[in-house]
Amino acid sequence: QVQLVESGGGSVQAGGSLRLSCAAAGLMFHSYCMAWFRQAPGNEREWVADIESGSSTGRYADSVLGRFTVSLDDARNTLYLQMNSLKDDDTAMYYCAADRWSCGASPRYWGQGTQVSVSS
């Protein structure tokens, strides 16, 4: 059974940094796509970044490119999202997601989310 548990959210001032973690159980990173999504109140869910199965290279939405970095720690079975130069628009609930081989727009497995609030 796949389980995803996010942590690391919080409140930060604009320009600051946060690192989100997603502890994964019941899956092996080499055969799963791992992704981060976010959803702000009143907005649709937005794909943020992912790492496809078998890859070590992250892919990013234009809105976060150059500011966010997604990475995997195989030894800890943990996915990270390092967020730098945070903006007010980054305020949202952030979700970790996973699916076999490819994530797509709606991966099968989701965590409960962690809240990120950015204030200027």
Side-chain angles (χ1 to χ4, degrees), residues 4 22-25 27-34 51-55 71-80 96 98-99 101:
L4 305 171
C22 172
L27 60 80
M28 300 292 288
F29 283 151
H30 65 80
S31 59
Y32 277 78
C33 175
M34 302 297 299
I51 298 181
E52 291 193 308
S53 59
S55 174
S71 61
L72 295 171
D73 185 332
D74 286 329
R76 292 180 169 84
N77 232 40
T78 300
L79 173 75
Y80 298 102
C96 171
D99 209 336
W101 308 119

PDB file of all heavy atoms in Angstrom, residues 4 22-25 27-34 51-55 71-80 96 98-99 101:
ATOM      1  N   LEU A   4       1.965   8.407   1.305  1.00  0.00           N
ATOM      2  CA  LEU A   4       2.764   9.611   1.117  1.00  0.00           C
ATOM      3  C   LEU A   4       2.429  10.585   2.240  1.00  0.00           C
ATOM      4  O   LEU A   4       1.253  10.888   2.459  1.00  0.00           O
ATOM      5  CB  LEU A   4       2.464  10.259  -0.236  1.00  0.00           C
ATOM      6  CG  LEU A   4       2.631   9.373  -1.468  1.00  0.00           C
ATOM      7  CD1 LEU A   4       2.094  10.072  -2.714  1.00  0.00           C
ATOM      8  CD2 LEU A   4       4.075   8.974  -1.663  1.00  0.00           C
ATOM      9  N   CYS A  22       8.450  14.717   1.470  1.00  0.00           N
ATOM     10  CA  CYS A  22       7.379  13.737   1.268  1.00  0.00           C
ATOM     11  C   CYS A  22       7.964  12.358   1.543  1.00  0.00           C
ATOM     12  O   CYS A  22       8.732  11.832   0.736  1.00  0.00           O
ATOM     13  CB  CYS A  22       6.833  13.819  -0.147  1.00  0.00           C
ATOM     14  SG  CYS A  22       5.672  12.505  -0.577  1.00  0.00           S
ATOM     15  N   ALA A  23       7.616  11.805   2.689  1.00  0.00           N
ATOM     16  CA  ALA A  23       8.071  10.462   3.038  1.00  0.00           C
ATOM     17  C   ALA A  23       7.174   9.440   2.351  1.00  0.00           C
ATOM     18  O   ALA A  23       5.950   9.461   2.526  1.00  0.00           O
ATOM     19  CB  ALA A  23       8.030  10.278   4.545  1.00  0.00           C
ATOM     20  N   ALA A  24       7.782   8.575   1.566  1.00  0.00           N
ATOM     21  CA  ALA A  24       7.020   7.608   0.774  1.00  0.00           C
ATOM     22  C   ALA A  24       7.206   6.198   1.314  1.00  0.00           C
ATOM     23  O   ALA A  24       8.315   5.807   1.678  1.00  0.00           O
ATOM     24  CB  ALA A  24       7.475   7.663  -0.683  1.00  0.00           C
ATOM     25  N   ALA A  25       6.124   5.449   1.362  1.00  0.00           N
ATOM     26  CA  ALA A  25       6.167   4.040   1.761  1.00  0.00           C
ATOM     27  C   ALA A  25       5.392   3.226   0.743  1.00  0.00           C
ATOM     28  O   ALA A  25       4.412   3.704   0.148  1.00  0.00           O
ATOM     29  CB  ALA A  25       5.575   3.863   3.157  1.00  0.00           C
ATOM     30  N   LEU A  27       6.459   1.957  -2.147  1.00  0.00           N
ATOM     31  CA  LEU A  27       6.844   2.109  -3.547  1.00  0.00           C
ATOM     32  C   LEU A  27       8.351   2.224  -3.659  1.00  0.00           C
ATOM     33  O   LEU A  27       9.041   2.510  -2.692  1.00  0.00           O
ATOM     34  CB  LEU A  27       6.167   3.343  -4.164  1.00  0.00           C
ATOM     35  CG  LEU A  27       6.448   4.726  -3.570  1.00  0.00           C
ATOM     36  CD1 LEU A  27       7.766   5.316  -4.049  1.00  0.00           C
ATOM     37  CD2 LEU A  27       5.328   5.697  -3.920  1.00  0.00           C
ATOM     38  N   MET A  28       8.835   1.982  -4.880  1.00  0.00           N
ATOM     39  CA  MET A  28      10.254   2.137  -5.184  1.00  0.00           C
ATOM     40  C   MET A  28      10.386   3.271  -6.188  1.00  0.00           C
ATOM     41  O   MET A  28       9.729   3.259  -7.237  1.00  0.00           O
ATOM     42  CB  MET A  28      10.804   0.841  -5.784  1.00  0.00           C
ATOM     43  CG  MET A  28      10.670  -0.363  -4.865  1.00  0.00           C
ATOM     44  SD  MET A  28      11.734  -0.240  -3.417  1.00  0.00           S
ATOM     45  CE  MET A  28      13.323  -0.524  -4.163  1.00  0.00           C
ATOM     46  N   PHE A  29      11.229   4.234  -5.898  1.00  0.00           N
ATOM     47  CA  PHE A  29      11.320   5.426  -6.735  1.00  0.00           C
ATOM     48  C   PHE A  29      11.657   5.098  -8.190  1.00  0.00           C
ATOM     49  O   PHE A  29      11.218   5.793  -9.103  1.00  0.00           O
ATOM     50  CB  PHE A  29      12.364   6.385  -6.183  1.00  0.00           C
ATOM     51  CG  PHE A  29      11.894   7.164  -4.990  1.00  0.00           C
ATOM     52  CD1 PHE A  29      12.804   7.598  -4.041  1.00  0.00           C
ATOM     53  CD2 PHE A  29      10.560   7.477  -4.805  1.00  0.00           C
ATOM     54  CE1 PHE A  29      12.389   8.325  -2.934  1.00  0.00           C
ATOM     55  CE2 PHE A  29      10.134   8.205  -3.702  1.00  0.00           C
ATOM     56  CZ  PHE A  29      11.056   8.631  -2.764  1.00  0.00           C
ATOM     57  N   HIS A  30      12.424   4.016  -8.422  1.00  0.00           N
ATOM     58  CA  HIS A  30      12.876   3.752  -9.787  1.00  0.00           C
ATOM     59  C   HIS A  30      11.723   3.391 -10.722  1.00  0.00           C
ATOM     60  O   HIS A  30      11.858   3.446 -11.941  1.00  0.00           O
ATOM     61  CB  HIS A  30      13.943   2.658  -9.805  1.00  0.00           C
ATOM     62  CG  HIS A  30      13.456   1.316  -9.370  1.00  0.00           C
ATOM     63  ND1 HIS A  30      12.760   0.472 -10.202  1.00  0.00           N
ATOM     64  CD2 HIS A  30      13.562   0.666  -8.185  1.00  0.00           C
ATOM     65  CE1 HIS A  30      12.454  -0.634  -9.534  1.00  0.00           C
ATOM     66  NE2 HIS A  30      12.934  -0.534  -8.323  1.00  0.00           N
ATOM     67  N   SER A  31      10.569   3.007 -10.166  1.00  0.00           N
ATOM     68  CA  SER A  31       9.441   2.635 -11.018  1.00  0.00           C
ATOM     69  C   SER A  31       8.215   3.529 -10.807  1.00  0.00           C
ATOM     70  O   SER A  31       7.119   3.196 -11.262  1.00  0.00           O
ATOM     71  CB  SER A  31       9.060   1.173 -10.796  1.00  0.00           C
ATOM     72  OG  SER A  31       8.718   0.951  -9.445  1.00  0.00           O
ATOM     73  N   TYR A  32       8.407   4.619 -10.117  1.00  0.00           N
ATOM     74  CA  TYR A  32       7.309   5.549  -9.890  1.00  0.00           C
ATOM     75  C   TYR A  32       7.710   6.955 -10.310  1.00  0.00           C
ATOM     76  O   TYR A  32       8.848   7.373 -10.107  1.00  0.00           O
ATOM     77  CB  TYR A  32       6.900   5.581  -8.410  1.00  0.00           C
ATOM     78  CG  TYR A  32       5.954   4.482  -8.019  1.00  0.00           C
ATOM     79  CD1 TYR A  32       6.418   3.189  -7.808  1.00  0.00           C
ATOM     80  CD2 TYR A  32       4.596   4.730  -7.880  1.00  0.00           C
ATOM     81  CE1 TYR A  32       5.550   2.168  -7.465  1.00  0.00           C
ATOM     82  CE2 TYR A  32       3.712   3.725  -7.522  1.00  0.00           C
ATOM     83  CZ  TYR A  32       4.200   2.445  -7.316  1.00  0.00           C
ATOM     84  OH  TYR A  32       3.329   1.441  -6.980  1.00  0.00           O
ATOM     85  N   CYS A  33       6.756   7.676 -10.858  1.00  0.00           N
ATOM     86  CA  CYS A  33       6.905   9.107 -11.046  1.00  0.00           C
ATOM     87  C   CYS A  33       6.475   9.782  -9.750  1.00  0.00           C
ATOM     88  O   CYS A  33       5.430   9.433  -9.188  1.00  0.00           O
ATOM     89  CB  CYS A  33       6.027   9.577 -12.205  1.00  0.00           C
ATOM     90  SG  CYS A  33       6.022  11.355 -12.417  1.00  0.00           S
ATOM     91  N   MET A  34       7.268  10.749  -9.293  1.00  0.00           N
ATOM     92  CA  MET A  34       6.969  11.477  -8.074  1.00  0.00           C
ATOM     93  C   MET A  34       6.761  12.947  -8.420  1.00  0.00           C
ATOM     94  O   MET A  34       7.569  13.524  -9.159  1.00  0.00           O
ATOM     95  CB  MET A  34       8.108  11.345  -7.070  1.00  0.00           C
ATOM     96  CG  MET A  34       8.444   9.924  -6.672  1.00  0.00           C
ATOM     97  SD  MET A  34       7.086   9.082  -5.841  1.00  0.00           S
ATOM     98  CE  MET A  34       6.876  10.120  -4.392  1.00  0.00           C
ATOM     99  N   ILE A  51       9.586  14.276 -10.986  1.00  0.00           N
ATOM    100  CA  ILE A  51      10.728  13.486 -11.446  1.00  0.00           C
ATOM    101  C   ILE A  51      10.148  12.184 -11.964  1.00  0.00           C
ATOM    102  O   ILE A  51       9.516  11.431 -11.217  1.00  0.00           O
ATOM    103  CB  ILE A  51      11.730  13.201 -10.319  1.00  0.00           C
ATOM    104  CG1 ILE A  51      12.323  14.501  -9.770  1.00  0.00           C
ATOM    105  CG2 ILE A  51      12.854  12.297 -10.835  1.00  0.00           C
ATOM    106  CD1 ILE A  51      13.335  14.294  -8.664  1.00  0.00           C
ATOM    107  N   GLU A  52      10.363  11.917 -13.231  1.00  0.00           N
ATOM    108  CA  GLU A  52       9.817  10.703 -13.829  1.00  0.00           C
ATOM    109  C   GLU A  52      10.596   9.485 -13.357  1.00  0.00           C
ATOM    110  O   GLU A  52      11.754   9.581 -12.946  1.00  0.00           O
ATOM    111  CB  GLU A  52       9.854  10.810 -15.351  1.00  0.00           C
ATOM    112  CG  GLU A  52       8.886  11.845 -15.883  1.00  0.00           C
ATOM    113  CD  GLU A  52       8.691  11.720 -17.372  1.00  0.00           C
ATOM    114  OE1 GLU A  52       9.699  11.700 -18.100  1.00  0.00           O
ATOM    115  OE2 GLU A  52       7.529  11.634 -17.808  1.00  0.00           O
ATOM    116  N   SER A  53       9.960   8.325 -13.433  1.00  0.00           N
ATOM    117  CA  SER A  53      10.592   7.079 -13.006  1.00  0.00           C
ATOM    118  C   SER A  53      11.880   6.871 -13.788  1.00  0.00           C
ATOM    119  O   SER A  53      11.920   7.065 -14.997  1.00  0.00           O
ATOM    120  CB  SER A  53       9.646   5.913 -13.210  1.00  0.00           C
ATOM    121  OG  SER A  53       9.283   5.801 -14.561  1.00  0.00           O
ATOM    122  N   GLY A  54      12.918   6.486 -13.068  1.00  0.00           N
ATOM    123  CA  GLY A  54      14.199   6.221 -13.695  1.00  0.00           C
ATOM    124  C   GLY A  54      15.005   7.452 -14.024  1.00  0.00           C
ATOM    125  O   GLY A  54      16.101   7.359 -14.576  1.00  0.00           O
ATOM    126  N   SER A  55      14.491   8.609 -13.689  1.00  0.00           N
ATOM    127  CA  SER A  55      15.189   9.857 -13.986  1.00  0.00           C
ATOM    128  C   SER A  55      15.669  10.517 -12.707  1.00  0.00           C
ATOM    129  O   SER A  55      15.090  10.319 -11.642  1.00  0.00           O
ATOM    130  CB  SER A  55      14.263  10.806 -14.736  1.00  0.00           C
ATOM    131  OG  SER A  55      14.875  12.077 -14.911  1.00  0.00           O
ATOM    132  N   SER A  71      13.912  16.880  -5.708  1.00  0.00           N
ATOM    133  CA  SER A  71      14.960  15.873  -5.607  1.00  0.00           C
ATOM    134  C   SER A  71      14.461  14.668  -4.844  1.00  0.00           C
ATOM    135  O   SER A  71      13.445  14.727  -4.143  1.00  0.00           O
ATOM    136  CB  SER A  71      16.198  16.457  -4.915  1.00  0.00           C
ATOM    137  OG  SER A  71      15.889  16.879  -3.599  1.00  0.00           O
ATOM    138  N   LEU A  72      15.191  13.559  -5.008  1.00  0.00           N
ATOM    139  CA  LEU A  72      14.869  12.296  -4.343  1.00  0.00           C
ATOM    140  C   LEU A  72      16.034  11.859  -3.476  1.00  0.00           C
ATOM    141  O   LEU A  72      17.192  12.022  -3.871  1.00  0.00           O
ATOM    142  CB  LEU A  72      14.606  11.195  -5.373  1.00  0.00           C
ATOM    143  CG  LEU A  72      13.407  11.323  -6.296  1.00  0.00           C
ATOM    144  CD1 LEU A  72      13.477  10.250  -7.376  1.00  0.00           C
ATOM    145  CD2 LEU A  72      12.124  11.196  -5.512  1.00  0.00           C
ATOM    146  N   ASP A  73      15.713  11.293  -2.328  1.00  0.00           N
ATOM    147  CA  ASP A  73      16.704  10.628  -1.488  1.00  0.00           C
ATOM    148  C   ASP A  73      16.292   9.165  -1.404  1.00  0.00           C
ATOM    149  O   ASP A  73      15.383   8.816  -0.646  1.00  0.00           O
ATOM    150  CB  ASP A  73      16.763  11.282  -0.114  1.00  0.00           C
ATOM    151  CG  ASP A  73      17.867  10.711   0.764  1.00  0.00           C
ATOM    152  OD1 ASP A  73      18.227   9.529   0.565  1.00  0.00           O
ATOM    153  OD2 ASP A  73      18.358  11.428   1.644  1.00  0.00           O
ATOM    154  N   ASP A  74      16.960   8.310  -2.199  1.00  0.00           N
ATOM    155  CA  ASP A  74      16.587   6.901  -2.232  1.00  0.00           C
ATOM    156  C   ASP A  74      16.772   6.233  -0.880  1.00  0.00           C
ATOM    157  O   ASP A  74      15.967   5.388  -0.475  1.00  0.00           O
ATOM    158  CB  ASP A  74      17.410   6.160  -3.289  1.00  0.00           C
ATOM    159  CG  ASP A  74      16.957   6.492  -4.695  1.00  0.00           C
ATOM    160  OD1 ASP A  74      15.745   6.759  -4.873  1.00  0.00           O
ATOM    161  OD2 ASP A  74      17.797   6.507  -5.604  1.00  0.00           O
ATOM    162  N   ALA A  75      17.826   6.580  -0.171  1.00  0.00           N
ATOM    163  CA  ALA A  75      18.114   5.937   1.110  1.00  0.00           C
ATOM    164  C   ALA A  75      17.011   6.211   2.132  1.00  0.00           C
ATOM    165  O   ALA A  75      16.690   5.355   2.953  1.00  0.00           O
ATOM    166  CB  ALA A  75      19.456   6.423   1.637  1.00  0.00           C
ATOM    167  N   ARG A  76      16.429   7.398   2.065  1.00  0.00           N
ATOM    168  CA  ARG A  76      15.361   7.761   2.997  1.00  0.00           C
ATOM    169  C   ARG A  76      13.968   7.604   2.385  1.00  0.00           C
ATOM    170  O   ARG A  76      12.976   7.868   3.069  1.00  0.00           O
ATOM    171  CB  ARG A  76      15.546   9.204   3.472  1.00  0.00           C
ATOM    172  CG  ARG A  76      16.760   9.410   4.360  1.00  0.00           C
ATOM    173  CD  ARG A  76      16.874  10.868   4.804  1.00  0.00           C
ATOM    174  NE  ARG A  76      17.856  11.045   5.847  1.00  0.00           N
ATOM    175  CZ  ARG A  76      19.151  11.189   5.631  1.00  0.00           C
ATOM    176  NH1 ARG A  76      19.604  11.160   4.394  1.00  0.00           N
ATOM    177  NH2 ARG A  76      19.995  11.345   6.636  1.00  0.00           N
ATOM    178  N   ASN A  77      13.909   7.187   1.124  1.00  0.00           N
ATOM    179  CA  ASN A  77      12.628   7.082   0.414  1.00  0.00           C
ATOM    180  C   ASN A  77      11.815   8.367   0.562  1.00  0.00           C
ATOM    181  O   ASN A  77      10.613   8.337   0.881  1.00  0.00           O
ATOM    182  CB  ASN A  77      11.818   5.883   0.910  1.00  0.00           C
ATOM    183  CG  ASN A  77      11.358   4.998  -0.245  1.00  0.00           C
ATOM    184  OD1 ASN A  77      12.103   4.769  -1.191  1.00  0.00           O
ATOM    185  ND2 ASN A  77      10.147   4.490  -0.163  1.00  0.00           N
ATOM    186  N   THR A  78      12.472   9.468   0.348  1.00  0.00           N
ATOM    187  CA  THR A  78      11.858  10.774   0.561  1.00  0.00           C
ATOM    188  C   THR A  78      12.042  11.658  -0.660  1.00  0.00           C
ATOM    189  O   THR A  78      13.123  11.700  -1.251  1.00  0.00           O
ATOM    190  CB  THR A  78      12.454  11.463   1.797  1.00  0.00           C
ATOM    191  OG1 THR A  78      12.223  10.640   2.941  1.00  0.00           O
ATOM    192  CG2 THR A  78      11.825  12.835   2.028  1.00  0.00           C
ATOM    193  N   LEU A  79      10.970  12.350  -1.010  1.00  0.00           N
ATOM    194  CA  LEU A  79      10.964  13.342  -2.086  1.00  0.00           C
ATOM    195  C   LEU A  79      11.031  14.719  -1.443  1.00  0.00           C
ATOM    196  O   LEU A  79      10.385  14.956  -0.414  1.00  0.00           O
ATOM    197  CB  LEU A  79       9.678  13.209  -2.892  1.00  0.00           C
ATOM    198  CG  LEU A  79       9.378  14.254  -3.963  1.00  0.00           C
ATOM    199  CD1 LEU A  79      10.272  14.023  -5.187  1.00  0.00           C
ATOM    200  CD2 LEU A  79       7.909  14.196  -4.371  1.00  0.00           C
ATOM    201  N   TYR A  80      11.797  15.623  -2.038  1.00  0.00           N
ATOM    202  CA  TYR A  80      11.928  16.971  -1.498  1.00  0.00           C
ATOM    203  C   TYR A  80      11.513  18.008  -2.530  1.00  0.00           C
ATOM    204  O   TYR A  80      11.590  17.776  -3.738  1.00  0.00           O
ATOM    205  CB  TYR A  80      13.375  17.251  -1.080  1.00  0.00           C
ATOM    206  CG  TYR A  80      13.888  16.368   0.008  1.00  0.00           C
ATOM    207  CD1 TYR A  80      14.730  15.296  -0.274  1.00  0.00           C
ATOM    208  CD2 TYR A  80      13.537  16.602   1.342  1.00  0.00           C
ATOM    209  CE1 TYR A  80      15.204  14.478   0.731  1.00  0.00           C
ATOM    210  CE2 TYR A  80      14.014  15.779   2.354  1.00  0.00           C
ATOM    211  CZ  TYR A  80      14.841  14.726   2.038  1.00  0.00           C
ATOM    212  OH  TYR A  80      15.308  13.912   3.047  1.00  0.00           O
ATOM    213  N   CYS A  96       2.116  16.056  -2.357  1.00  0.00           N
ATOM    214  CA  CYS A  96       2.988  15.082  -2.994  1.00  0.00           C
ATOM    215  C   CYS A  96       2.104  14.040  -3.673  1.00  0.00           C
ATOM    216  O   CYS A  96       1.047  13.668  -3.119  1.00  0.00           O
ATOM    217  CB  CYS A  96       3.855  14.447  -1.902  1.00  0.00           C
ATOM    218  SG  CYS A  96       4.828  13.034  -2.400  1.00  0.00           S
ATOM    219  N   ALA A  98       2.114  10.435  -6.567  1.00  0.00           N
ATOM    220  CA  ALA A  98       2.914   9.395  -7.208  1.00  0.00           C
ATOM    221  C   ALA A  98       2.046   8.499  -8.066  1.00  0.00           C
ATOM    222  O   ALA A  98       0.848   8.338  -7.818  1.00  0.00           O
ATOM    223  CB  ALA A  98       3.625   8.553  -6.152  1.00  0.00           C
ATOM    224  N   ASP A  99       2.661   7.933  -9.088  1.00  0.00           N
ATOM    225  CA  ASP A  99       1.984   6.947  -9.920  1.00  0.00           C
ATOM    226  C   ASP A  99       3.041   6.085 -10.570  1.00  0.00           C
ATOM    227  O   ASP A  99       4.194   6.509 -10.750  1.00  0.00           O
ATOM    228  CB  ASP A  99       1.112   7.628 -10.973  1.00  0.00           C
ATOM    229  CG  ASP A  99      -0.084   6.777 -11.370  1.00  0.00           C
ATOM    230  OD1 ASP A  99       0.001   5.533 -11.214  1.00  0.00           O
ATOM    231  OD2 ASP A  99      -1.075   7.338 -11.837  1.00  0.00           O
ATOM    232  N   TRP A 101       5.314   4.672 -13.174  1.00  0.00           N
ATOM    233  CA  TRP A 101       5.979   5.055 -14.413  1.00  0.00           C
ATOM    234  C   TRP A 101       5.784   6.522 -14.793  1.00  0.00           C
ATOM    235  O   TRP A 101       6.741   7.231 -14.996  1.00  0.00           O
ATOM    236  CB  TRP A 101       5.549   4.157 -15.566  1.00  0.00           C
ATOM    237  CG  TRP A 101       5.684   2.703 -15.249  1.00  0.00           C
ATOM    238  CD1 TRP A 101       4.696   1.770 -15.214  1.00  0.00           C
ATOM    239  CD2 TRP A 101       6.877   1.996 -14.871  1.00  0.00           C
ATOM    240  NE1 TRP A 101       5.215   0.550 -14.845  1.00  0.00           N
ATOM    241  CE2 TRP A 101       6.544   0.656 -14.647  1.00  0.00           C
ATOM    242  CE3 TRP A 101       8.224   2.398 -14.708  1.00  0.00           C
ATOM    243  CZ2 TRP A 101       7.478  -0.302 -14.263  1.00  0.00           C
ATOM    244  CZ3 TRP A 101       9.156   1.453 -14.313  1.00  0.00           C
ATOM    245  CH2 TRP A 101       8.789   0.105 -14.106  1.00  0.00           C
TER     246      TRP A 101
END
